[in-house]
Amino acid sequence: QLQLQESGPGLVKPSETLSLTCTVSGGSISSSSYYWGWIRQPPGKGLEWIGSIYYSGSTYYNPSLKSRVTISVDTSKNQFSLKLSSVTAADTAVYYCARCITMVRGVILNWFDPWGQGTLVTVSS
Amino acid sequence: AIQLTQSPSSLSASVGDRVTITCRASQGISSALAWYQQKPGKAPKLLIYDASSLESGVPSRFSGSGSGTDFTLTISSLQPEDFATYYCQQFNNYPVTFGGGTKVEIK
């Protein structure tokens, strides 16, 4: 079945750029039925959608993070990536990648399933 | 952005109890709502989509209802494996948003 796996540094210094990659296995990232997204969860807190990307490169970002976020896709490697610039301690969180069902009754971004296991990124000097 | 308010934020219940969790949207979202279950140290797991559609493989004791601004997740008979935190998510409006979560604890 489809699996997603996040990878990247677990520690990032303040003001630097957080970079994570999500590798998709058991299915193609180039499916027309899905977007691919990043969601984060600060320790002990709730979930925040960061952004989503289609295999063609079309992106949607959360307006609260848009100025600092870049999501890209590499269909040859079946991967998509997240870059978050100018990080602070407030960006410390578990970062999840997930598949997002698209174009249900004309809605581009729908629910997320499945999710990767998540990776903790700590912002600290 | 649409705000989703879940209530209660936590509850204590016993095995076999009927449990109801509410999610209220700050404006109408039709039936564009999903529910997730998250256990400690694990990723969220999809339970319900389109407000009332049960995801494949999810036990039938879970059910969802509602439309517009008021939604509920019901567990008809709480099982030991159901103790977790539950989140709602709306996808009717950009940006996608999540509720604050409801933690279901053992009484």
Side-chain angles (χ1 to χ4, degrees), chain B residues 5-13 18-24 33-38 47-48 51 61-66 69-76 78 82-89 99-105:
Chain B
T5 302
Q6 288 184 233
S7 60
S9 55
S10 66
L11 65 91
S12 296
R18 181 182 183 88
V19 169
T20 298
I21 298 168
T22 296
C23 178
R24 175 163 289 175
L33 190 97
W35 289 97
Y36 302 87
Q37 176 193 66
Q38 186 179 35
L47 299 176
I48 302 282
R61 62 180 179 274
F62 290 93
S63 64
S65 65
T69 59
D70 294 314
F71 301 85
T72 59
L73 173 69
T74 300
I75 309 172
S76 60
L78 198 65
D82 301 337
F83 291 95
T85 300
Y86 295 85
Y87 292 94
C88 56
Q89 175 228 328
T102 296
K103 187 174 184 178
V104 176
E105 298 176 300

mmCIF file of all heavy atoms in Angstrom, chain B residues 5-13 18-24 33-38 47-48 51 61-66 69-76 78 82-89 99-105:
data_model
loop_
_atom_site.group_PDB
_atom_site.id
_atom_site.type_symbol
_atom_site.label_atom_id
_atom_site.label_comp_id
_atom_site.label_asym_id
_atom_site.label_seq_id
_atom_site.Cartn_x
_atom_site.Cartn_y
_atom_site.Cartn_z
ATOM 1 N N THR B 5 -13.924 24.963 16.048
ATOM 2 C CA THR B 5 -13.882 24.873 17.504
ATOM 3 C C THR B 5 -14.414 23.512 17.931
ATOM 4 O O THR B 5 -15.583 23.188 17.675
ATOM 5 C CB THR B 5 -14.730 25.979 18.148
ATOM 6 O OG1 THR B 5 -14.249 27.259 17.699
ATOM 7 C CG2 THR B 5 -14.639 25.914 19.667
ATOM 8 N N GLN B 6 -13.568 22.731 18.559
ATOM 9 C CA GLN B 6 -13.976 21.420 19.034
ATOM 10 C C GLN B 6 -14.350 21.484 20.508
ATOM 11 O O GLN B 6 -13.729 22.197 21.300
ATOM 12 C CB GLN B 6 -12.854 20.389 18.855
ATOM 13 C CG GLN B 6 -12.617 19.993 17.417
ATOM 14 C CD GLN B 6 -11.577 18.899 17.274
ATOM 15 O OE1 GLN B 6 -10.624 19.041 16.519
ATOM 16 N NE2 GLN B 6 -11.769 17.786 17.995
ATOM 17 N N SER B 7 -15.373 20.723 20.870
ATOM 18 C CA SER B 7 -15.747 20.614 22.280
ATOM 19 C C SER B 7 -16.212 19.197 22.595
ATOM 20 O O SER B 7 -16.814 18.537 21.733
ATOM 21 C CB SER B 7 -16.840 21.633 22.620
ATOM 22 O OG SER B 7 -17.983 21.409 21.824
ATOM 23 N N PRO B 8 -15.880 18.729 23.798
ATOM 24 C CA PRO B 8 -14.988 19.402 24.744
ATOM 25 C C PRO B 8 -13.536 19.284 24.283
ATOM 26 O O PRO B 8 -13.253 18.584 23.316
ATOM 27 C CB PRO B 8 -15.223 18.599 26.028
ATOM 28 C CG PRO B 8 -15.521 17.223 25.537
ATOM 29 C CD PRO B 8 -16.302 17.400 24.266
ATOM 30 N N SER B 9 -12.632 19.957 24.962
ATOM 31 C CA SER B 9 -11.216 19.822 24.615
ATOM 32 C C SER B 9 -10.655 18.509 25.157
ATOM 33 O O SER B 9 -9.665 17.976 24.630
ATOM 34 C CB SER B 9 -10.412 21.001 25.163
ATOM 35 O OG SER B 9 -10.616 21.115 26.555
ATOM 36 N N SER B 10 -11.290 17.992 26.206
ATOM 37 C CA SER B 10 -10.935 16.676 26.719
ATOM 38 C C SER B 10 -12.137 16.082 27.435
ATOM 39 O O SER B 10 -13.046 16.817 27.852
ATOM 40 C CB SER B 10 -9.739 16.755 27.674
ATOM 41 O OG SER B 10 -10.071 17.477 28.833
ATOM 42 N N LEU B 11 -12.139 14.775 27.526
ATOM 43 C CA LEU B 11 -13.209 14.092 28.237
ATOM 44 C C LEU B 11 -12.690 12.780 28.795
ATOM 45 O O LEU B 11 -11.735 12.193 28.249
ATOM 46 C CB LEU B 11 -14.421 13.865 27.323
ATOM 47 C CG LEU B 11 -14.248 12.935 26.127
ATOM 48 C CD1 LEU B 11 -14.601 11.496 26.489
ATOM 49 C CD2 LEU B 11 -15.128 13.387 24.954
ATOM 50 N N SER B 12 -13.315 12.349 29.870
ATOM 51 C CA SER B 12 -13.000 11.052 30.459
ATOM 52 C C SER B 12 -14.195 10.135 30.270
ATOM 53 O O SER B 12 -15.331 10.541 30.534
ATOM 54 C CB SER B 12 -12.688 11.194 31.947
ATOM 55 O OG SER B 12 -11.529 11.963 32.140
ATOM 56 N N ALA B 13 -13.947 8.939 29.812
ATOM 57 C CA ALA B 13 -15.026 7.999 29.565
ATOM 58 C C ALA B 13 -14.567 6.577 29.860
ATOM 59 O O ALA B 13 -13.361 6.306 29.932
ATOM 60 C CB ALA B 13 -15.506 8.127 28.124
ATOM 61 N N ARG B 18 -20.878 5.634 25.224
ATOM 62 C CA ARG B 18 -21.126 6.343 23.961
ATOM 63 C C ARG B 18 -20.496 7.729 24.107
ATOM 64 O O ARG B 18 -20.738 8.431 25.089
ATOM 65 C CB ARG B 18 -22.627 6.469 23.703
ATOM 66 C CG ARG B 18 -23.000 7.167 22.410
ATOM 67 C CD ARG B 18 -24.517 7.264 22.289
ATOM 68 N NE ARG B 18 -24.956 7.872 21.041
ATOM 69 C CZ ARG B 18 -25.176 7.191 19.920
ATOM 70 N NH1 ARG B 18 -24.994 5.890 19.889
ATOM 71 N NH2 ARG B 18 -25.598 7.828 18.841
ATOM 72 N N VAL B 19 -19.671 8.104 23.127
ATOM 73 C CA VAL B 19 -18.924 9.359 23.199
ATOM 74 C C VAL B 19 -19.275 10.223 21.986
ATOM 75 O O VAL B 19 -19.297 9.733 20.854
ATOM 76 C CB VAL B 19 -17.406 9.092 23.238
ATOM 77 C CG1 VAL B 19 -16.631 10.386 23.048
ATOM 78 C CG2 VAL B 19 -17.024 8.416 24.556
ATOM 79 N N THR B 20 -19.532 11.501 22.250
ATOM 80 C CA THR B 20 -19.829 12.436 21.169
ATOM 81 C C THR B 20 -18.907 13.634 21.256
ATOM 82 O O THR B 20 -18.757 14.246 22.327
ATOM 83 C CB THR B 20 -21.299 12.907 21.224
ATOM 84 O OG1 THR B 20 -22.153 11.771 21.058
ATOM 85 C CG2 THR B 20 -21.576 13.906 20.101
ATOM 86 N N ILE B 21 -18.276 13.961 20.155
ATOM 87 C CA ILE B 21 -17.374 15.114 20.043
ATOM 88 C C ILE B 21 -17.968 16.064 19.010
ATOM 89 O O ILE B 21 -18.444 15.632 17.955
ATOM 90 C CB ILE B 21 -15.973 14.666 19.606
ATOM 91 C CG1 ILE B 21 -15.362 13.721 20.649
ATOM 92 C CG2 ILE B 21 -15.068 15.868 19.371
ATOM 93 C CD1 ILE B 21 -14.109 13.011 20.169
ATOM 94 N N THR B 22 -17.933 17.352 19.322
ATOM 95 C CA THR B 22 -18.528 18.365 18.450
ATOM 96 C C THR B 22 -17.456 19.229 17.802
ATOM 97 O O THR B 22 -16.437 19.541 18.423
ATOM 98 C CB THR B 22 -19.488 19.246 19.258
ATOM 99 O OG1 THR B 22 -20.564 18.450 19.734
ATOM 100 C CG2 THR B 22 -20.034 20.383 18.413
ATOM 101 N N CYS B 23 -17.685 19.594 16.567
ATOM 102 C CA CYS B 23 -16.819 20.514 15.822
ATOM 103 C C CYS B 23 -17.708 21.583 15.210
ATOM 104 O O CYS B 23 -18.639 21.261 14.461
ATOM 105 C CB CYS B 23 -16.065 19.737 14.744
ATOM 106 S SG CYS B 23 -14.977 20.722 13.685
ATOM 107 N N ARG B 24 -17.456 22.829 15.556
ATOM 108 C CA ARG B 24 -18.264 23.936 15.042
ATOM 109 C C ARG B 24 -17.396 24.832 14.170
ATOM 110 O O ARG B 24 -16.324 25.276 14.588
ATOM 111 C CB ARG B 24 -18.871 24.730 16.182
ATOM 112 C CG ARG B 24 -19.645 25.975 15.746
ATOM 113 C CD ARG B 24 -20.553 26.474 16.849
ATOM 114 N NE ARG B 24 -21.681 25.567 17.062
ATOM 115 C CZ ARG B 24 -22.573 25.732 18.040
ATOM 116 N NH1 ARG B 24 -22.452 26.724 18.903
ATOM 117 N NH2 ARG B 24 -23.566 24.875 18.168
ATOM 118 N N LEU B 33 -15.942 18.152 5.669
ATOM 119 C CA LEU B 33 -15.287 17.964 6.963
ATOM 120 C C LEU B 33 -14.781 16.543 7.083
ATOM 121 O O LEU B 33 -15.444 15.594 6.659
ATOM 122 C CB LEU B 33 -16.258 18.254 8.103
ATOM 123 C CG LEU B 33 -15.564 18.304 9.471
ATOM 124 C CD1 LEU B 33 -15.253 19.747 9.844
ATOM 125 C CD2 LEU B 33 -16.385 17.638 10.550
ATOM 126 N N ALA B 34 -13.579 16.412 7.674
ATOM 127 C CA ALA B 34 -12.996 15.102 7.955
ATOM 128 C C ALA B 34 -12.665 15.000 9.438
ATOM 129 O O ALA B 34 -12.471 16.022 10.107
ATOM 130 C CB ALA B 34 -11.733 14.895 7.124
ATOM 131 N N TRP B 35 -12.605 13.774 9.916
ATOM 132 C CA TRP B 35 -12.223 13.493 11.303
ATOM 133 C C TRP B 35 -11.015 12.558 11.300
ATOM 134 O O TRP B 35 -10.952 11.603 10.510
ATOM 135 C CB TRP B 35 -13.363 12.814 12.061
ATOM 136 C CG TRP B 35 -14.531 13.683 12.383
ATOM 137 C CD1 TRP B 35 -15.707 13.792 11.680
ATOM 138 C CD2 TRP B 35 -14.663 14.554 13.509
ATOM 139 N NE1 TRP B 35 -16.551 14.681 12.308
ATOM 140 C CE2 TRP B 35 -15.943 15.160 13.422
ATOM 141 C CE3 TRP B 35 -13.835 14.888 14.583
ATOM 142 C CZ2 TRP B 35 -16.401 16.079 14.386
ATOM 143 C CZ3 TRP B 35 -14.294 15.796 15.527
ATOM 144 C CH2 TRP B 35 -15.556 16.377 15.427
ATOM 145 N N TYR B 36 -10.082 12.825 12.207
ATOM 146 C CA TYR B 36 -8.881 12.021 12.364
ATOM 147 C C TYR B 36 -8.724 11.583 13.809
ATOM 148 O O TYR B 36 -9.135 12.285 14.728
ATOM 149 C CB TYR B 36 -7.625 12.816 11.967
ATOM 150 C CG TYR B 36 -7.630 13.333 10.556
ATOM 151 C CD1 TYR B 36 -8.209 14.555 10.246
ATOM 152 C CD2 TYR B 36 -7.056 12.595 9.517
ATOM 153 C CE1 TYR B 36 -8.224 15.031 8.951
ATOM 154 C CE2 TYR B 36 -7.059 13.070 8.210
ATOM 155 C CZ TYR B 36 -7.642 14.287 7.940
ATOM 156 O OH TYR B 36 -7.663 14.758 6.643
ATOM 157 N N GLN B 37 -8.062 10.441 13.968
ATOM 158 C CA GLN B 37 -7.682 9.934 15.291
ATOM 159 C C GLN B 37 -6.160 9.955 15.371
ATOM 160 O O GLN B 37 -5.478 9.514 14.436
ATOM 161 C CB GLN B 37 -8.171 8.488 15.448
ATOM 162 C CG GLN B 37 -7.749 7.810 16.742
ATOM 163 C CD GLN B 37 -8.000 6.304 16.690
ATOM 164 O OE1 GLN B 37 -7.371 5.574 15.916
ATOM 165 N NE2 GLN B 37 -8.936 5.836 17.504
ATOM 166 N N GLN B 38 -5.629 10.475 16.475
ATOM 167 C CA GLN B 38 -4.184 10.478 16.667
ATOM 168 C C GLN B 38 -3.826 9.893 18.022
ATOM 169 O O GLN B 38 -4.299 10.375 19.051
ATOM 170 C CB GLN B 38 -3.599 11.890 16.536
ATOM 171 C CG GLN B 38 -2.076 11.899 16.591
ATOM 172 C CD GLN B 38 -1.484 13.286 16.435
ATOM 173 O OE1 GLN B 38 -2.035 14.277 16.897
ATOM 174 N NE2 GLN B 38 -0.337 13.359 15.763
ATOM 175 N N LEU B 47 -10.545 8.899 9.785
ATOM 176 C CA LEU B 47 -11.685 8.094 10.203
ATOM 177 C C LEU B 47 -12.903 8.331 9.309
ATOM 178 O O LEU B 47 -13.569 7.403 8.864
ATOM 179 C CB LEU B 47 -12.087 8.446 11.647
ATOM 180 C CG LEU B 47 -11.090 8.227 12.761
ATOM 181 C CD1 LEU B 47 -11.676 8.749 14.069
ATOM 182 C CD2 LEU B 47 -10.728 6.751 12.877
ATOM 183 N N ILE B 48 -13.221 9.601 9.098
ATOM 184 C CA ILE B 48 -14.451 10.028 8.431
ATOM 185 C C ILE B 48 -14.101 11.125 7.435
ATOM 186 O O ILE B 48 -13.281 12.000 7.734
ATOM 187 C CB ILE B 48 -15.457 10.617 9.458
ATOM 188 C CG1 ILE B 48 -15.814 9.613 10.545
ATOM 189 C CG2 ILE B 48 -16.709 11.164 8.749
ATOM 190 C CD1 ILE B 48 -16.802 8.560 10.144
ATOM 191 N N ALA B 51 -17.927 14.511 6.064
ATOM 192 C CA ALA B 51 -18.745 14.637 7.274
ATOM 193 C C ALA B 51 -19.302 13.318 7.808
ATOM 194 O O ALA B 51 -19.417 13.160 9.028
ATOM 195 C CB ALA B 51 -19.901 15.623 7.067
ATOM 196 N N ARG B 61 -18.307 1.420 14.716
ATOM 197 C CA ARG B 61 -18.731 2.154 15.927
ATOM 198 C C ARG B 61 -18.440 3.656 15.801
ATOM 199 O O ARG B 61 -18.961 4.450 16.567
ATOM 200 C CB ARG B 61 -18.042 1.595 17.178
ATOM 201 C CG ARG B 61 -16.541 1.703 17.190
ATOM 202 C CD ARG B 61 -15.976 1.106 18.480
ATOM 203 N NE ARG B 61 -14.522 1.171 18.534
ATOM 204 C CZ ARG B 61 -13.718 0.260 18.020
ATOM 205 N NH1 ARG B 61 -14.243 -0.807 17.420
ATOM 206 N NH2 ARG B 61 -12.397 0.385 18.089
ATOM 207 N N PHE B 62 -17.637 4.017 14.812
ATOM 208 C CA PHE B 62 -17.373 5.431 14.535
ATOM 209 C C PHE B 62 -18.398 5.933 13.507
ATOM 210 O O PHE B 62 -18.642 5.273 12.489
ATOM 211 C CB PHE B 62 -15.962 5.640 13.966
ATOM 212 C CG PHE B 62 -14.864 5.414 14.958
ATOM 213 C CD1 PHE B 62 -14.265 4.168 15.066
ATOM 214 C CD2 PHE B 62 -14.432 6.435 15.786
ATOM 215 C CE1 PHE B 62 -13.247 3.938 15.983
ATOM 216 C CE2 PHE B 62 -13.418 6.225 16.704
ATOM 217 C CZ PHE B 62 -12.824 4.985 16.809
ATOM 218 N N SER B 63 -18.964 7.091 13.770
ATOM 219 C CA SER B 63 -19.869 7.699 12.804
ATOM 220 C C SER B 63 -19.755 9.211 12.881
ATOM 221 O O SER B 63 -19.401 9.773 13.921
ATOM 222 C CB SER B 63 -21.318 7.260 13.029
ATOM 223 O OG SER B 63 -21.782 7.711 14.287
ATOM 224 N N GLY B 64 -20.046 9.856 11.769
ATOM 225 C CA GLY B 64 -20.010 11.314 11.704
ATOM 226 C C GLY B 64 -21.319 11.840 11.152
ATOM 227 O O GLY B 64 -21.995 11.175 10.363
ATOM 228 N N SER B 65 -21.670 13.038 11.579
ATOM 229 C CA SER B 65 -22.888 13.667 11.078
ATOM 230 C C SER B 65 -22.721 15.179 11.072
ATOM 231 O O SER B 65 -21.776 15.713 11.664
ATOM 232 C CB SER B 65 -24.095 13.269 11.927
ATOM 233 O OG SER B 65 -23.968 13.760 13.242
ATOM 234 N N GLY B 66 -23.658 15.829 10.403
ATOM 235 C CA GLY B 66 -23.674 17.287 10.393
ATOM 236 C C GLY B 66 -23.446 17.870 9.018
ATOM 237 O O GLY B 66 -23.008 17.190 8.089
ATOM 238 N N THR B 69 -22.461 24.294 9.758
ATOM 239 C CA THR B 69 -21.497 24.745 10.758
ATOM 240 C C THR B 69 -21.323 23.778 11.922
ATOM 241 O O THR B 69 -20.373 23.924 12.691
ATOM 242 C CB THR B 69 -21.909 26.113 11.351
ATOM 243 O OG1 THR B 69 -23.202 25.997 11.941
ATOM 244 C CG2 THR B 69 -21.918 27.199 10.269
ATOM 245 N N ASP B 70 -22.218 22.836 12.093
ATOM 246 C CA ASP B 70 -22.184 21.962 13.272
ATOM 247 C C ASP B 70 -22.038 20.491 12.876
ATOM 248 O O ASP B 70 -22.848 19.972 12.103
ATOM 249 C CB ASP B 70 -23.442 22.164 14.128
ATOM 250 C CG ASP B 70 -23.504 23.544 14.725
ATOM 251 O OD1 ASP B 70 -22.474 24.006 15.254
ATOM 252 O OD2 ASP B 70 -24.573 24.183 14.656
ATOM 253 N N PHE B 71 -21.017 19.865 13.460
ATOM 254 C CA PHE B 71 -20.682 18.493 13.123
ATOM 255 C C PHE B 71 -20.417 17.686 14.397
ATOM 256 O O PHE B 71 -19.997 18.255 15.408
ATOM 257 C CB PHE B 71 -19.428 18.457 12.235
ATOM 258 C CG PHE B 71 -19.587 19.227 10.963
ATOM 259 C CD1 PHE B 71 -19.357 20.590 10.926
ATOM 260 C CD2 PHE B 71 -19.981 18.590 9.793
ATOM 261 C CE1 PHE B 71 -19.512 21.311 9.759
ATOM 262 C CE2 PHE B 71 -20.135 19.299 8.616
ATOM 263 C CZ PHE B 71 -19.910 20.669 8.596
ATOM 264 N N THR B 72 -20.655 16.385 14.322
ATOM 265 C CA THR B 72 -20.364 15.526 15.462
ATOM 266 C C THR B 72 -19.665 14.249 14.998
ATOM 267 O O THR B 72 -19.936 13.728 13.917
ATOM 268 C CB THR B 72 -21.630 15.137 16.242
ATOM 269 O OG1 THR B 72 -22.527 14.466 15.351
ATOM 270 C CG2 THR B 72 -22.305 16.350 16.833
ATOM 271 N N LEU B 73 -18.771 13.787 15.849
ATOM 272 C CA LEU B 73 -18.164 12.461 15.719
ATOM 273 C C LEU B 73 -18.675 11.655 16.906
ATOM 274 O O LEU B 73 -18.551 12.102 18.055
ATOM 275 C CB LEU B 73 -16.644 12.547 15.760
ATOM 276 C CG LEU B 73 -15.901 11.199 15.798
ATOM 277 C CD1 LEU B 73 -16.044 10.466 14.478
ATOM 278 C CD2 LEU B 73 -14.426 11.410 16.148
ATOM 279 N N THR B 74 -19.230 10.491 16.644
ATOM 280 C CA THR B 74 -19.762 9.640 17.693
ATOM 281 C C THR B 74 -19.055 8.298 17.684
ATOM 282 O O THR B 74 -18.841 7.703 16.620
ATOM 283 C CB THR B 74 -21.280 9.432 17.513
ATOM 284 O OG1 THR B 74 -21.942 10.692 17.570
ATOM 285 C CG2 THR B 74 -21.833 8.523 18.608
ATOM 286 N N ILE B 75 -18.662 7.858 18.873
ATOM 287 C CA ILE B 75 -18.168 6.502 19.057
ATOM 288 C C ILE B 75 -19.248 5.782 19.847
ATOM 289 O O ILE B 75 -19.525 6.145 21.000
ATOM 290 C CB ILE B 75 -16.828 6.479 19.813
ATOM 291 C CG1 ILE B 75 -15.831 7.442 19.158
ATOM 292 C CG2 ILE B 75 -16.255 5.065 19.850
ATOM 293 C CD1 ILE B 75 -14.541 7.652 19.940
ATOM 294 N N SER B 76 -19.872 4.781 19.262
ATOM 295 C CA SER B 76 -21.080 4.196 19.860
ATOM 296 C C SER B 76 -20.784 3.388 21.122
ATOM 297 O O SER B 76 -21.586 3.373 22.055
ATOM 298 C CB SER B 76 -21.802 3.326 18.841
ATOM 299 O OG SER B 76 -20.956 2.276 18.414
ATOM 300 N N LEU B 78 -17.245 2.820 23.290
ATOM 301 C CA LEU B 78 -15.817 3.103 23.372
ATOM 302 C C LEU B 78 -15.012 1.833 23.693
ATOM 303 O O LEU B 78 -15.361 1.091 24.619
ATOM 304 C CB LEU B 78 -15.577 4.170 24.439
ATOM 305 C CG LEU B 78 -14.253 4.915 24.419
ATOM 306 C CD1 LEU B 78 -14.116 5.757 23.151
ATOM 307 C CD2 LEU B 78 -14.143 5.788 25.665
ATOM 308 N N ASP B 82 -9.544 3.077 21.470
ATOM 309 C CA ASP B 82 -10.081 4.365 21.012
ATOM 310 C C ASP B 82 -9.593 5.547 21.837
ATOM 311 O O ASP B 82 -9.895 6.707 21.497
ATOM 312 C CB ASP B 82 -11.615 4.351 21.035
ATOM 313 C CG ASP B 82 -12.202 3.261 20.158
ATOM 314 O OD1 ASP B 82 -11.504 2.818 19.221
ATOM 315 O OD2 ASP B 82 -13.344 2.850 20.415
ATOM 316 N N PHE B 83 -8.869 5.288 22.915
ATOM 317 C CA PHE B 83 -8.371 6.395 23.723
ATOM 318 C C PHE B 83 -7.250 7.083 22.948
ATOM 319 O O PHE B 83 -6.208 6.496 22.656
ATOM 320 C CB PHE B 83 -7.915 5.891 25.096
ATOM 321 C CG PHE B 83 -9.080 5.432 25.933
ATOM 322 C CD1 PHE B 83 -9.444 4.100 25.974
ATOM 323 C CD2 PHE B 83 -9.850 6.361 26.628
ATOM 324 C CE1 PHE B 83 -10.544 3.682 26.715
ATOM 325 C CE2 PHE B 83 -10.949 5.947 27.384
ATOM 326 C CZ PHE B 83 -11.288 4.611 27.423
ATOM 327 N N ALA B 84 -7.513 8.331 22.581
ATOM 328 C CA ALA B 84 -6.663 9.058 21.634
ATOM 329 C C ALA B 84 -7.149 10.496 21.574
ATOM 330 O O ALA B 84 -8.082 10.882 22.287
ATOM 331 C CB ALA B 84 -6.760 8.416 20.248
ATOM 332 N N THR B 85 -6.517 11.281 20.711
ATOM 333 C CA THR B 85 -6.973 12.647 20.445
ATOM 334 C C THR B 85 -7.607 12.668 19.056
ATOM 335 O O THR B 85 -7.075 12.058 18.114
ATOM 336 C CB THR B 85 -5.813 13.646 20.525
ATOM 337 O OG1 THR B 85 -5.251 13.588 21.843
ATOM 338 C CG2 THR B 85 -6.298 15.064 20.259
ATOM 339 N N TYR B 86 -8.726 13.370 18.953
ATOM 340 C CA TYR B 86 -9.486 13.432 17.705
ATOM 341 C C TYR B 86 -9.497 14.861 17.183
ATOM 342 O O TYR B 86 -9.692 15.811 17.944
ATOM 343 C CB TYR B 86 -10.911 12.917 17.930
ATOM 344 C CG TYR B 86 -10.917 11.447 18.280
ATOM 345 C CD1 TYR B 86 -10.730 11.033 19.609
ATOM 346 C CD2 TYR B 86 -11.077 10.477 17.298
ATOM 347 C CE1 TYR B 86 -10.695 9.679 19.927
ATOM 348 C CE2 TYR B 86 -11.051 9.128 17.605
ATOM 349 C CZ TYR B 86 -10.851 8.737 18.920
ATOM 350 O OH TYR B 86 -10.813 7.405 19.231
ATOM 351 N N TYR B 87 -9.276 14.990 15.866
ATOM 352 C CA TYR B 87 -9.236 16.304 15.204
ATOM 353 C C TYR B 87 -10.243 16.343 14.053
ATOM 354 O O TYR B 87 -10.376 15.368 13.307
ATOM 355 C CB TYR B 87 -7.856 16.591 14.619
ATOM 356 C CG TYR B 87 -6.764 16.788 15.646
ATOM 357 C CD1 TYR B 87 -5.969 15.730 16.053
ATOM 358 C CD2 TYR B 87 -6.520 18.056 16.191
ATOM 359 C CE1 TYR B 87 -4.961 15.912 16.993
ATOM 360 C CE2 TYR B 87 -5.516 18.233 17.124
ATOM 361 C CZ TYR B 87 -4.747 17.168 17.523
ATOM 362 O OH TYR B 87 -3.747 17.345 18.453
ATOM 363 N N CYS B 88 -10.889 17.491 13.897
ATOM 364 C CA CYS B 88 -11.678 17.720 12.691
ATOM 365 C C CYS B 88 -10.878 18.618 11.749
ATOM 366 O O CYS B 88 -9.952 19.315 12.171
ATOM 367 C CB CYS B 88 -13.041 18.341 13.014
ATOM 368 S SG CYS B 88 -13.011 19.895 13.942
ATOM 369 N N GLN B 89 -11.203 18.563 10.475
ATOM 370 C CA GLN B 89 -10.510 19.354 9.449
ATOM 371 C C GLN B 89 -11.533 19.778 8.396
ATOM 372 O O GLN B 89 -12.321 18.956 7.933
ATOM 373 C CB GLN B 89 -9.424 18.525 8.761
ATOM 374 C CG GLN B 89 -8.728 19.216 7.600
ATOM 375 C CD GLN B 89 -8.635 18.353 6.351
ATOM 376 O OE1 GLN B 89 -8.531 17.126 6.437
ATOM 377 N NE2 GLN B 89 -8.659 18.986 5.186
ATOM 378 N N GLY B 99 -9.350 21.637 13.647
ATOM 379 C CA GLY B 99 -9.796 21.986 14.980
ATOM 380 C C GLY B 99 -8.674 21.769 15.985
ATOM 381 O O GLY B 99 -7.639 21.184 15.672
ATOM 382 N N GLY B 100 -8.901 22.225 17.217
ATOM 383 C CA GLY B 100 -7.876 22.168 18.250
ATOM 384 C C GLY B 100 -7.691 20.802 18.893
ATOM 385 O O GLY B 100 -6.739 20.611 19.652
ATOM 386 N N GLY B 101 -8.586 19.878 18.615
ATOM 387 C CA GLY B 101 -8.446 18.526 19.140
ATOM 388 C C GLY B 101 -9.288 18.259 20.371
ATOM 389 O O GLY B 101 -9.581 19.177 21.153
ATOM 390 N N THR B 102 -9.679 17.009 20.532
ATOM 391 C CA THR B 102 -10.389 16.525 21.716
ATOM 392 C C THR B 102 -9.680 15.273 22.197
ATOM 393 O O THR B 102 -9.576 14.294 21.444
ATOM 394 C CB THR B 102 -11.859 16.198 21.401
ATOM 395 O OG1 THR B 102 -12.545 17.392 21.024
ATOM 396 C CG2 THR B 102 -12.538 15.578 22.619
ATOM 397 N N LYS B 103 -9.187 15.323 23.418
ATOM 398 C CA LYS B 103 -8.484 14.180 23.986
ATOM 399 C C LYS B 103 -9.463 13.305 24.747
ATOM 400 O O LYS B 103 -10.142 13.787 25.673
ATOM 401 C CB LYS B 103 -7.362 14.645 24.900
ATOM 402 C CG LYS B 103 -6.472 13.507 25.398
ATOM 403 C CD LYS B 103 -5.284 14.051 26.179
ATOM 404 C CE LYS B 103 -4.340 12.953 26.600
ATOM 405 N NZ LYS B 103 -3.161 13.478 27.328
ATOM 406 N N VAL B 104 -9.540 12.045 24.381
ATOM 407 C CA VAL B 104 -10.430 11.094 25.048
ATOM 408 C C VAL B 104 -9.571 10.229 25.966
ATOM 409 O O VAL B 104 -8.688 9.488 25.503
ATOM 410 C CB VAL B 104 -11.187 10.227 24.025
ATOM 411 C CG1 VAL B 104 -12.041 9.187 24.732
ATOM 412 C CG2 VAL B 104 -12.043 11.112 23.115
ATOM 413 N N GLU B 105 -9.843 10.357 27.277
ATOM 414 C CA GLU B 105 -9.035 9.662 28.280
ATOM 415 C C GLU B 105 -9.850 8.615 28.998
ATOM 416 O O GLU B 105 -11.092 8.660 29.013
ATOM 417 C CB GLU B 105 -8.480 10.687 29.268
ATOM 418 C CG GLU B 105 -7.570 11.712 28.618
ATOM 419 C CD GLU B 105 -7.089 12.779 29.578
ATOM 420 O OE1 GLU B 105 -7.934 13.488 30.145
ATOM 421 O OE2 GLU B 105 -5.862 12.908 29.751
#
